[in-house]
Amino acid sequence: MHEKPTKKIWDMAKWIMSTLFYAFCILTLVNLTIEGSGIMKATTKPGNFEPEKLTNKVRFSDVQGCEEAKEELQELVQFLKNPEEFAEVGGRLPKGVLLTGPPGTGKTLLARAVAGEADVPFFFMSGSEFDEMYVGVGASVTGDTQVLVKDTSGTRLMQIGEYIDTYYAGDSEGYVVPVNGVQTLGYTGGAKMDSCAWTTVRQVYRHKVDEVYEISYMGDMVRTTGDHSVFIRTADGEIRAIQARELQVGDSLVDMPSSKVSSTRAVNSAVPRDLTMWASDVDSAARQQCRAECHAQGVSEDIALSSSLAWLFGVYTARGEIADNCLQLSFDTNEAQLKQQVIQTVADSFGASPLANSADIQALQYSSLLAQFFARHCGERAAKRVPESMWTESASVYRAFMDGYMVGYGKQLSGGSAGIESSDYNLLRELAWLASMHRTQATLKTNSSSWVLEIHAASTQRDAQITSIDRVAYDGYVYDFCGCDNEAFFGGSNAVLLHNSKVRSLFSAARKKSPSIVFIDEIDAIGSKRNPRDQAYMKQTLNQLLVDLDGFQQTDGVIFIAATNFPEVLDPALTRPGRFDRIVQVALPDIRGRAAILKKHSEKIRLAPDVDMVTVARGTPGFSGAELQNLLNLAAIEASKQRAKGVTNAHLDYAKDRILMGSERKSAVITPESKLATAYHEGGHTLAALYTQGAVPLHKVTVIPRGHALGVTMQLPEADRYSVNKQEYLAEIDVCMGGRAAEELVYGLDRVT
């Protein structure tokens, strides 16, 4: 039997349709999976600030209708071309120039023309972008990143999120909060990094993100947003900030410290010389009771923070405990010499002796007074910690503490290396930070259920090389310290140098490219007058801008140009001498300026032979340069729609009416009664305009709905108006009331619309 050809064709068609259907389902499923994972999500990649790349440079000849403004800006061009000529006679041009005027008058174009005429780099930024840069949007690390914080509550190693969360209420996020008296660990020096040092934190910041980059190194991990920068070490030993999304496996992060870190003192802050036997927050009654106990036991009230006390802190942290309200130190049978050393050191530091019941070689006990002292400074049981005083003490005191800890742990820290294995991750993490601050290489690694702290000699260089970088989904807050010196702070369990979000790359780039121009558009967005009742974070951008402007000298070859439509709202500190002290008015063009603008913009438009731009300019008083360009564009579009060979006067009139009165709404359904009432109303405006002395001449009347109006009566002055007298004001009022008067005459007072 032979199958019919039609059956074969039908079977083939069914096979093709089923294959296409299954392929569509599979591709749809794959697409949904990829979109959900975020792998293919597009991201912005903000880099360093670069000047605008202008293929066709703007010249003064491209800017029409503002001749006076161009004359004032001409001297800036001469300065940028030859700054030495001004410096020879001691002349100094203004650091900043403020362009003011109505919208659309060409302020931005003028700034670009200055750069074009002088042939210098042009850096552009709007006010909102400027605010975003100082707020630091998108430059943050996750809340579990360890940082060292010093404030009025003391010095402690803690998670950055735990600290910053205290400054935000509820779920608030996305704005900076200024802080006072807060420091974190940064560094001193330039690209070579001299040493670690305390740096001031001026603001804190948090916001939510949906993805982060996990950067693994030395058994540790730092999680940052893609546009957050971390420092890497270059082949020549310098440090450089690079965005997380641009990092590569094999890059070396900047650990703490570099091989050139000073060993005399890690930080530059003074600390109290003595520690009291009582807590700083106790009341006077508790203080008197503690003093009585000290007197009864022969213990000193003030204990000198010496290397001996630091050694005892280390021994206690390693093996001490609080038992039965007593300080207890345990020893092995072969540690009799160590026990005698502890007894002698306690006697020298405190003037105290062990309790009588601690004669056994394996136990040494002291009174509750010492137990409370050591527990307050070093913690107890599973909450042992590095004493707060160690974070700000000298290298000799640190070494004594580490010697005591290693002795108490049963190891020696000499010229070689040592490893400490413990389940107390928090304590080992603090020891790793403390060792790194004092030129001792320390690395914290995981080992199954415990942690291992490897401490090496100072000459040993640890390798903070990136082993993996993963982009993962994340739902939560990310955090940042803002305004730090050198724009950097250390973070992570194995501390590495993170880049602070307050990047001043705009100003540094302008200085490197000098002579150059920095243009800030709509500066009123960040430079409005400050009010004492404003929230602090609302003023921080302006405050920082003022500081950065003062960082430039008038001989640096960098000129700041800003533009605003509202000069009256600017803060006086912004317009004082030494900042934006030169104000250039860019007014609306007069008839000659409008004619020049129209001729410039119509160079590439095919015009009818009878079109006269001077006539058009005479009929467009009050138009800005942007509105005139829009007029020609609308006329050209209308001519194209009508398939005309060129733009005629009718097309220009259409465009002018559309700008002045709005688009026609010919399809609007309006009752005859409403049309008649509109006609009477507009007729009243028209009669008042025709017969009132001093009224602006009538241009056009229409009862076809335009924009939001049912009809429009348009007046147009014959020339530019620079002043208005009383008669003209009264005539304007008469024309405005003419529509109501006409309706009242026809319909009566009760039916006036």
Side-chain angles (χ1 to χ4, degrees), residues 35 49 81 114 159 242 267 298 324 359 370 385 401 410 425-426 452 470 535 618 697 738:
E35 287 185 355
F49 281 100
K81 285 183 176 180
V114 173
Q159 294 182 352
I242 187 171
V267 291
D324 298 328
L370 268 67
R385 63 179 182 273
F401 173 80
Y425 172 68
N426 292 331
V452 177
D470 298 304
Q535 295 294 326
R618 187 177 294 112

Side-chain angles (χ1 to χ4, degrees), residues 440-492:
T440 302
Q441 299 296 345
T443 305
L444 187 60
K445 297 181 179 180
T446 182
N447 182 17
S448 63
S449 60
S450 61
W451 293 85
V452 177
L453 176 63
E454 297 178 354
I455 300 179
H456 309 284
S459 59
T460 304
Q461 181 68 43
R462 69 176 183 175
D463 187 10
Q465 194 174 77
I466 297 176
T467 57
S468 67
I469 304 173
D470 298 304
R471 179 180 172 186
V472 299
Y474 179 80
D475 182 19
Y477 294 112
V478 287
Y479 303 83
D480 200 6
F481 285 147
C482 304
C484 301
D485 300 332
N486 285 323
E487 300 164 357
F489 62 94
F490 284 99

Side-chain angles (χ1 to χ4, degrees), residues 665 678 681-682 685 701-706 708-713:
R665 293 190 291 126
T678 302
H681 184 93
E682 300 305 329
H685 290 309
V701 181
T702 178
V703 293
I704 297 176
R706 284 180 174 269
H708 296 289
L710 293 176
V712 178
T713 300

Side-chain angles (χ1 to χ4, degrees), residues 679-720:
Y680 282 128
H681 184 93
E682 300 305 329
H685 290 309
T686 303
L687 291 173
L690 289 173
Y691 293 103
T692 302
Q693 190 174 1
V696 177
L698 187 67
H699 171 63
K700 183 173 287 188
V701 181
T702 178
V703 293
I704 297 176
R706 284 180 174 269
H708 296 289
L710 293 176
V712 178
T713 300
M714 180 57 58
Q715 297 169 274
L716 203 62
E718 295 177 342
D720 297 302

Side-chain angles (χ1 to χ4, degrees), residues 213-250:
Y213 284 74
E214 294 181 344
I215 306 170
S216 300
Y217 65 99
M218 294 193 311
D220 192 15
M221 178 189 295
V222 169
R223 298 186 296 170
T224 79
T225 50
D227 46 7
H228 187 93
S229 299
V230 297
F231 282 91
I232 63 170
R233 196 176 298 280
T234 60
D236 58 359
E238 294 189 350
I239 63 175
R240 179 169 63 91
I242 187 171
Q243 289 181 341
R245 60 166 56 92
E246 298 176 354
L247 291 172
Q248 297 180 0
V249 173

